[in-house]
Amino acid sequence: MSAKRKIAVLVGDGMGDEPVAALHGKTPLQVADIPSIRRVAALGHAQLVRTVPDGLAPGSDVANMGLLGYNALENYTGRAAIEAAGARIPLQPSDVAYRTNLVTIEGGKMVDYSAGDISSEEAHELIDALNAAAAREGLNFHGGVSYRHLLIWRAGPLQLTVMPPHEISGQAVADHLPKGPRQEEARALMDLSRKVFANHPVNQARAAKGKRQATQIWLWGYGKAMALASYPERHGLRGGVITAVDLVRGLAVLCGLEVIHVPGATGWIDTNFEGKAQAAIDCLKRSDFVYLHLEAPDECGHKGMAEEKVRSIEAFDRRIVAPVWAALEAAGEPYRLIVCTDHRTPIAKRGHTSDPVPFAWVDGPLGAAAAKPAAAAFDEFLPSEGKPPLVCELISSLLQ
Ligand SMILES: [Zn+2]
């Protein structure tokens, strides 16, 4: 076991982009000062990959599955099924998990998909009230973090067309309500929440402080229980996952990897970079594999913040890639270091796209060569002969 190569996968969520006017027509990855990542590309290999199989939406769920080596076309059931695994909520075969956002809808428009970033405490009071009002066998809301919750619905509707609320910001919600067989049942729950939440003390207190109210729930991202072949079975690897995000935590549980908690991991540019890097280094001392996920670049993309996106990518390079790589070199054992992103979150679009993204890896130890100056491109314009490969296939071969 100990003679095995150590493998580190370092993921900057949503680092990919498109040329940005505010960055003089360059992408954040092109203008960012990222010497360590460029050295990985120069001393190892860099290419474009596709993280989202054709026909699927470019969600972080599908894309991170790809980076973990799973083809979502074979395994994916729905975002909420992954989140339920992360929350350790067991799903029975007939259960359907629905992602349940607390949202702010005013004047018929989706004003805020996060209900003013409502606190978990406030949210749980609302979810409890909704459970009491909806009380019936086989229907349970589970309080999660901030605006993100789950509904476990026995034999719930499985053929609805639903819309992620963050993709209809500012739009009229009437056009985007759940549609399809049994739509009235899903809509009835959303209507019920509107009645329960109106004038609820939590909302009254928020209104008094000038904060956005959680006017209702929004159901989307549903799926039945999901199963993935575990890392020990599939790749003979034991290891851990470091992330601030429930979804990636859920994937870790589903693929039999340890969920490593890092205090101060926030999912934003104020996250505990050093703590995450150190947790990765420690994980590799006791196992063979680590998957470190950094959410900040994606959030900057969603918020349309070009400068901050560049800074978050630079922090990823300097405060995560550099120390993890240095520790791998210092250990003197065989390793493979992979640096990648799950998808593009273009500043101009404030949402995800399926276009190919850069992917790089280097094998070591390199010894003296690791210190030599070297730099190669790591951006969205890497040359590609034909259609880039699906990352789930490439990474599966790199995990061998
Ligand atoms: Zn995103």
Side-chain angles (χ1 to χ4, degrees):
M1 198 88 179
S2 65
K4 245 185 208 167
R5 171 158 56 189
K6 305 280 181 179
I7 301 176
V9 181
L10 308 180
V11 186
D13 197 303
M15 288 200 299
D17 212 299
E18 293 166 4
V20 181
L23 301 176
H24 308 289
K26 298 217 152 61
T27 70
L29 275 172
Q30 286 181 306
V31 300
D33 182 26
I34 46 173
S36 292
I37 297 174
R38 295 218 163 102
R39 201 148 70 232
V40 171
L43 300 177
H45 182 88
Q47 64 171 88
L48 290 178
V49 295
R50 287 182 300 131
T51 54
V52 182
D54 290 340
L56 291 177
S60 284
D61 43 7
V62 165
N64 276 279
M65 278 180 74
L67 289 177
L68 283 160
Y70 299 91
N71 186 336
L73 286 175
E74 293 162 15
N75 301 288
Y76 182 73
T77 63
R79 179 186 188 106
I82 302 172
E83 293 183 338
R88 314 248 178 203
I89 300 169
L91 296 183
Q92 303 305 317
S94 64
D95 284 343
V96 182
Y98 270 78
R99 169 64 181 271
T100 303
N101 274 46
L102 291 181
V103 299
T104 307
I105 294 174
E106 286 168 8
K109 287 192 174 146
M110 182 64 70
V111 171
D112 191 343
Y113 65 85
S114 70
D117 286 309
I118 189 166
S119 73
S120 301
E121 243 183 1
E122 294 170 298
H124 286 198
E125 279 193 51
L126 294 170
I127 293 293
D128 287 348
L130 182 57
N131 262 329
R136 70 175 196 247
E137 196 55 22
L139 190 88
N140 272 297
F141 290 94
H142 293 257
V145 176
S146 181
Y147 62 89
R148 312 171 193 92
H149 310 280
L150 289 170
L151 164 63
I152 311 300
W153 191 349
R154 194 178 309 150
L158 259 175
Q159 279 154 357
L160 290 176
T161 301
V162 290
M163 186 57 105
H166 52 271
E167 291 192 5
I168 53 167
S169 294
Q171 297 183 32
V173 296
D175 305 336
H176 299 294
L177 293 169
K179 271 189 205 73
R182 301 174 62 192
Q183 64 180 33
E184 60 290 342
E185 293 176 57
R187 292 182 183 195
L189 288 172
M190 289 161 65
D191 290 342
L192 174 66
S193 71
R194 200 160 45 240
K195 289 183 197 111
V196 172
F197 296 171
N199 303 315
H200 188 282
V202 164
N203 271 330
Q204 286 176 346
R206 288 183 67 80
K209 289 182 194 146
K211 291 182 179 171
R212 280 183 179 149
Q213 301 187 44
T215 58
Q216 68 169 82
I217 57 164
W218 189 267
L219 298 175
W220 64 287
Y222 60 84
K224 291 187 116 178
M226 217 169 106
L228 296 175
S230 78
Y231 257 56
E233 274 167 39
R234 193 179 162 111
H235 305 295
L237 290 172
R238 294 182 188 282
V241 172
I242 297 161
T243 179
V245 174
D246 291 339
L247 182 72
V248 180
R249 221 171 275 140
L251 286 172
V253 171
L254 286 171
C255 59
L257 293 166
E258 182 192 353
V259 178
I260 299 170
H261 178 71
V262 176
T266 59
W268 182 231
I269 42 182
D270 61 356
T271 197
N272 182 0
F273 289 95
E274 283 70 24
K276 290 181 96 163
Q278 190 57 50
I281 293 164
D282 293 343
C283 176
L284 287 171
K285 283 184 192 148
R286 58 178 191 270
S287 61
D288 315 306
F289 175 82
V290 73
Y291 187 92
L292 187 160
H293 170 265
L294 180 79
E295 175 74 354
D298 179 61
E299 291 290 329
C300 295
H302 284 294
K303 293 181 198 301
M305 300 163 80
E307 286 301 321
E308 286 79 0
K309 184 161 179 181
V310 171
R311 274 200 282 123
S312 69
I313 293 170
E314 291 176 342
F316 175 61
D317 179 90
R318 195 174 69 254
R319 299 165 72 183
I320 288 184
V321 178
V324 172
W325 193 4
L328 286 167
E329 267 299 316
E333 292 177 61
Y335 68 80
R336 174 166 282 162
L337 172 65
I338 299 171
V339 179
C340 52
T341 181
D342 55 348
H343 54 71
R344 302 189 187 199
T345 310
I347 299 276
K349 298 199 166 92
R350 293 187 163 213
H352 302 177
T353 69
S354 301
D355 294 321
V357 288
F359 180 98
W361 75 93
V362 64
D363 292 338
L366 294 157
K372 277 197 201 146
F378 180 89
D379 60 40
E380 300 82 351
F381 299 96
L382 290 171
S384 180
E385 286 171 29
K387 208 171 179 183
L390 268 181
V391 77
C392 57
E393 287 158 19
L394 174 61
I395 210 148
S396 292
S397 70
L398 292 176
L399 295 181
Q400 298 307 316

